[in-house]
Amino acid sequence: MATVTDTPIRIGVMGCAEIARTVSRAIDLAPNATIAAVASRSLEKAKTFATANGYKQSVKIHGSYESILEDPEVDALYIPLPTSLHVEWAVRAAESGKHILLEKPVAMNVAEFDKIVAACEKNGVQMMDGTMWAHHPRTAKLKEFLFDSDLFLIGHALQIHSCFSLAVDEDFLKNDIRVKPNLDGLGALGDLGWYAIRAALFANNFELPKIVAASPGTVLNEAGVILSCGASLSWEDGRTASIYCSFLANVGMEISAVGTNGTLCVQDFVIPFEETHATFTTCLKSGFNDPWVSRPTEHSVKTEIPQEACMVREFARLVGEIKNKGAEPDGFWPNISRKTQLVVDAIKESVEKNCQQISLSGR
Amino acid sequence: MATVTDTPIRIGVMGCAEIARTVSRAIDLAPNATIAAVASRSLEKAKTFATANGYKQSVKIHGSYESILEDPEVDALYIPLPTSLHVEWAVRAAESGKHILLEKPVAMNVAEFDKIVAACEKNGVQMMDGTMWAHHPRTAKLKEFLFDSDLFLIGHALQIHSCFSLAVDEDFLKNDIRVKPNLDGLGALGDLGWYAIRAALFANNFELPKIVAASPGTVLNEAGVILSCGASLSWEDGRTASIYCSFLANVGMEISAVGTNGTLCVQDFVIPFEETHATFTTCLKSGFNDPWVSRPTEHSVKTEIPQEACMVREFARLVGEIKNKGAEPDGFWPNISRKTQLVVDAIKESVEKNCQQISLSGR
């Protein structure tokens, strides 16, 4: 088998959101990807962004989204546009043959997302969402503790609590797109809850819960956008999760899992305290009469490159497989994006129906 | 004002449950209390228990509960009887003029507990429940972080997650009184959930929530006793809590609070890892753009005597104030017992009504 040194995957940045700064750096750091182009609604904005982020002269500047879609020297697009624009531009990107790294939440609802997936499948392009923590080596280690058939350390994750909160300022609460119904209308649920939901799915091996119910106490802004909410998820066999997301509380990024054989705790699951490594604690096979017969152990997992660069590297690897080796797109990533979106939708529906239980059977 | 060196409060142990071993040691360790008597349903059982726990020869052995009630050399009774027997024996104890340290859950429901409280009030005796962690110096420190008006470190506790789980064995699941409807019929909710609920109330300054809803996924045994359940609580101003309790999962004893100004985490809130000190972490005023501008800080709080001895010491202090100085019983403790029981009742009602929201207004 011949080894080919493939050229880096050429990524275009479609939109100049704040998060695009982080991902631009990540593309730089990923060994198999390069920034090839940037687009905004005006040439001026795109130029300013390129300069501010130290883009090379060779990076092409596009003054419209249409223009970057037609750029033959772009393999894939990173799309950090407001959520309400995802369905239009992700579908158009797929139809232009571009692979898609799509910011979360992936769509306003799963019906929209299904259009994106259909377009990707039809055009043979890879789709992945921008959930960075999924790509940290720590996450792989957590998976071992949760599911490795030899270790089976935690056993069934009977209860997961996951929380992502960020205390935003007054300006954000008035002006940010994430509090505007026509832009990122899923609010804190789409922006932060997405991660907490993903954590609950992750700890249940991406099995979709049977029932989802919003918890009493949702906080909405005047336009009806969720600023803070919680929800309960339940699976068969008594497995449950509680999730919480809020724009109104101090930074919290916790996963706490209680399983049949042990517990697991992560304090910084969305953004690790340190860029070079990340920690978590486990406490295994504690006793009944002597509860602390075993004590929590801290584990530390190194990462060569930051988790967002790991994400770009994995995305570019999959795109490379397709581009250079004729592989099929990997269905895992759109599949878990869809499940996350389904739970987002169900929580929103439950919020609107005064915390009614929503069944996910058949969805 | 003259200082009187009071004689220790004479406590009778009414029932020989496993937990009575821990509390017997606690009475020994408390500087202001002494074990004066022990009662069981037979003299033989009481004798065996006294011997097994190294009771002094001077401790009186009673072969019936009636007998210990009539013992004039007993000031107060510690009652670890099955919950279904609390209302009868706690009322009779109060009517006999005995102060009461009552194991949790305090009753099968709040109506029963109100009978106990009425009897205590009528007879001027102190009532306190057996929630040991409430008396650890760490808990006082947590309170400072949550509520001190100068520090106001956490700000409003916007979301609390509290969990108490213990993996019991097959024998327990078949035979323990905590899985029997006619004995401790509140199951895991009464036994473990009690603590998690108390933590949620504690973090909300013992304000009763407005709404309580069981989460989907409750596990019942064949007799309908709760083995595992979760619930959501909500207060005004968007304050919420999620609680979880389970006999089926590994040991977990977490309080995780997310407030306006910081987060707080306790990993061992029910029974500290160490008897001599206990820890917790806080993370204050984290940022939005740089979430980890401040990092978690670990705090350690020493205790001279174990938390259960602190509990006995406080109980005996209050009894001493009444006995020696003519003070009134302290209403704080029965008040928070009642609130905890109200939430237990509401969660049980919600479980029975398929997770319907239960309003606590007016209860």
Side-chain angles (χ1 to χ4, degrees):
Chain A
M1 227 170 96
T3 302
V4 183
T5 305
D6 298 320
T7 52
I9 298 303
R10 300 163 302 177
I11 299 181
V13 174
M14 189 171 179
C16 300
E18 186 62 30
I19 187 69
R21 296 176 183 274
T22 304
V23 175
S24 293
R25 174 170 173 260
I27 298 169
D28 254 355
L29 291 171
N32 56 349
T34 188
I35 297 172
V38 59
S40 189
R41 281 167 296 175
S42 78
L43 209 57
E44 201 50 48
K45 278 183 91 173
K47 266 187 196 158
T48 305
F49 184 85
T51 307
N53 286 277
Y55 282 7
K56 291 178 198 147
Q57 286 295 326
S58 58
V59 173
K60 264 200 275 187
I61 312 291
H62 294 277
S64 73
Y65 301 144
E66 286 86 353
S67 169
I68 201 170
L69 292 185
E70 289 160 15
D71 189 332
E73 289 171 359
V74 165
D75 299 311
L77 290 167
Y78 167 62
I79 308 181
L81 297 173
T83 310
S84 58
L85 302 179
H86 283 191
V87 62
E88 177 183 354
W89 291 104
V91 166
R92 290 179 70 169
E95 286 171 349
S96 303
K98 307 301 188 200
H99 304 275
I100 304 166
L101 182 59
L102 184 61
E103 259 312 326
K104 32 57 56 184
V106 288
M108 290 301 291
N109 52 59
V110 82
E112 282 190 3
F113 183 63
D114 283 346
K115 290 182 190 169
I116 297 172
V117 172
C120 290
E121 286 178 354
K122 194 175 163 197
N123 293 283
V125 299
Q126 181 67 47
M127 180 269 157
M128 179 187 278
D129 74 43
T131 308
M132 299 168 176
W133 70 267
H135 302 271
H136 196 291
R138 170 172 68 179
T139 305
K141 200 74 188 167
L142 293 173
K143 197 177 164 194
E144 275 180 37
F145 272 88
L146 288 162
F147 302 115
D148 189 292
S149 57
D150 291 329
L151 300 173
F152 202 60
L153 294 176
I154 301 295
H156 279 300
L158 291 173
Q159 215 266 346
I160 304 297
H161 177 70
S162 55
C163 157
F164 185 17
S165 56
L166 280 178
V168 303
D169 58 19
E170 281 302 312
D171 180 59
F172 182 106
L173 287 175
K174 277 185 192 154
N175 302 317
D176 196 88
I177 60 166
R178 284 166 280 187
V179 299
K180 303 288 183 189
N182 58 337
L183 292 169
D184 274 347
L186 297 170
L189 176 61
D191 190 41
L192 310 180
W194 178 273
Y195 295 97
I197 293 164
R198 176 65 65 86
L201 290 171
F202 165 74
N204 282 281
N205 215 6
F206 295 108
E207 193 184 323
L208 206 58
K210 298 289 170 200
I211 294 174
V212 168
S215 303
T218 300
V219 179
L220 306 173
N221 70 7
E222 287 178 1
V225 174
I226 294 171
L227 300 181
S228 168
C229 75
S232 300
L233 286 60
S234 85
W235 289 260
E236 282 175 356
D237 320 317
R239 285 173 291 142
T240 61
S242 55
I243 70 116
Y244 177 72
C245 57
S246 179
F247 283 144
L248 307 174
N250 193 77
V251 173
M253 300 185 188
E254 188 188 21
I255 298 175
S256 176
V258 180
T260 42
N261 298 332
T263 57
L264 183 154
C265 191
V266 190
Q267 291 291 338
D268 56 351
F269 84 99
V270 183
I271 303 170
F273 296 132
E274 308 292 340
E275 218 174 50
T276 53
H277 65 279
T279 61
F280 62 100
T281 56
T282 57
C283 189
L284 301 175
K285 294 203 186 272
S286 298
F288 173 55
N289 290 316
D290 180 4
W292 299 124
V293 62
S294 74
R295 301 293 172 85
T297 307
E298 185 170 284
H299 308 268
S300 182
V301 182
K302 285 184 191 171
T303 183
E304 287 173 24
I305 50 177
Q307 62 178 6
E308 56 270 25
C310 294
M311 175 180 76
V312 171
R313 182 176 59 187
E314 175 62 6
F315 174 68
R317 186 186 71 78
L318 293 171
V319 171
E321 294 285 315
I322 298 165
K323 184 183 173 190
N324 302 318
K325 299 175 188 167
E328 291 290 310
D330 187 338
F332 174 76
W333 298 104
N335 184 31
I336 66 170
S337 301
R338 185 175 195 275
K339 285 177 173 173
T340 314
Q341 185 78 45
L342 269 174
V343 176
V344 167
D345 290 7
I347 294 174
K348 185 157 180 277
E349 185 182 345
S350 182
V351 165
E352 288 161 359
K353 293 179 176 171
N354 190 27
C355 304
Q356 194 181 301
Q357 292 183 35
I358 307 298
S359 166
L360 289 185
S361 299
R363 292 201 188 185
Chain B
M1 228 172 96
T3 304
V4 182
T5 305
D6 298 321
T7 52
I9 298 303
R10 300 163 302 177
I11 299 181
V13 175
M14 190 171 178
C16 301
E18 186 63 31
I19 186 71
R21 296 176 183 273
T22 303
V23 175
S24 293
R25 175 171 171 256
I27 298 169
D28 254 355
L29 291 171
N32 55 349
T34 188
I35 298 172
V38 59
S40 188
R41 280 167 295 174
S42 78
L43 210 56
E44 201 51 47
K45 277 183 91 173
K47 266 185 196 159
T48 306
F49 184 85
T51 307
N53 287 277
Y55 282 8
K56 289 177 199 151
Q57 286 294 327
S58 58
V59 173
K60 265 198 275 185
I61 311 292
H62 292 277
S64 74
Y65 301 143
E66 286 85 354
S67 170
I68 201 170
L69 291 185
E70 290 160 14
D71 189 333
E73 287 172 358
V74 166
D75 299 312
L77 289 167
Y78 167 61
I79 308 181
L81 298 173
T83 310
S84 58
L85 301 179
H86 282 191
V87 63
E88 177 183 354
W89 291 104
V91 167
R92 290 178 71 170
E95 287 172 348
S96 302
K98 307 301 188 197
H99 304 276
I100 304 166
L101 182 59
L102 185 61
E103 259 312 325
K104 32 57 56 184
V106 288
M108 290 300 293
N109 53 59
V110 82
E112 283 189 3
F113 183 62
D114 283 346
K115 290 181 191 169
I116 297 172
V117 172
C120 290
E121 285 178 354
K122 192 174 163 197
N123 294 282
V125 300
Q126 181 67 47
M127 181 270 157
M128 179 187 277
D129 74 42
T131 308
M132 299 168 176
W133 70 266
H135 302 272
H136 197 292
R138 171 173 65 180
T139 305
K141 200 75 189 168
L142 293 173
K143 197 177 163 194
E144 275 181 37
F145 272 88
L146 287 162
F147 302 114
D148 189 292
S149 56
D150 290 328
L151 299 172
F152 203 61
L153 293 176
I154 301 296
H156 278 300
L158 291 174
Q159 214 267 347
I160 304 296
H161 178 70
S162 56
C163 157
F164 185 16
S165 55
L166 280 178
V168 303
D169 57 20
E170 281 302 312
D171 181 58
F172 183 107
L173 287 176
K174 277 185 191 155
N175 303 316
D176 196 87
I177 60 167
R178 284 166 280 187
V179 298
K180 303 288 181 188
N182 59 335
L183 293 169
D184 274 348
L186 297 171
L189 177 60
D191 191 41
L192 310 180
W194 179 273
Y195 295 98
I197 293 164
R198 177 65 66 83
L201 290 171
F202 165 74
N204 283 280
N205 215 5
F206 295 108
E207 192 184 324
L208 206 58
K210 299 288 170 202
I211 294 174
V212 168
S215 303
T218 300
V219 179
L220 307 173
N221 71 7
E222 287 178 2
V225 174
I226 293 171
L227 300 180
S228 168
C229 75
S232 300
L233 286 60
S234 85
W235 289 259
E236 283 175 355
D237 320 316
R239 286 174 290 142
T240 60
S242 55
I243 69 115
Y244 178 72
C245 57
S246 179
F247 283 145
L248 307 175
N250 193 77
V251 173
M253 300 185 187
E254 187 187 21
I255 298 174
S256 175
V258 181
T260 40
N261 298 332
T263 56
L264 182 154
C265 191
V266 190
Q267 291 291 338
D268 56 351
F269 84 99
V270 183
I271 304 170
F273 296 132
E274 308 292 339
E275 218 173 50
T276 53
H277 65 279
T279 61
F280 64 99
T281 55
T282 56
C283 189
L284 301 175
K285 296 202 184 272
S286 297
F288 173 55
N289 290 318
D290 181 3
W292 299 124
V293 62
S294 73
R295 301 293 172 88
T297 306
E298 184 168 285
H299 310 268
S300 181
V301 182
K302 283 185 191 170
T303 183
E304 287 173 24
I305 50 176
Q307 63 179 6
E308 56 271 25
C310 295
M311 174 180 76
V312 171
R313 182 175 60 188
E314 175 62 6
F315 175 67
R317 187 186 70 77
L318 292 171
V319 172
E321 294 284 315
I322 298 166
K323 183 183 172 189
N324 302 318
K325 299 176 188 167
E328 291 289 311
D330 187 338
F332 173 75
W333 297 103
N335 184 33
I336 66 170
S337 300
R338 186 176 194 276
K339 285 176 173 172
T340 315
Q341 185 77 46
L342 269 174
V343 176
V344 167
D345 290 7
I347 294 174
K348 186 158 179 278
E349 184 183 345
S350 182
V351 164
E352 288 161 359
K353 293 179 176 171
N354 191 27
C355 304
Q356 193 181 302
Q357 294 183 34
I358 307 298
S359 166
L360 289 186
S361 299
R363 293 201 188 183

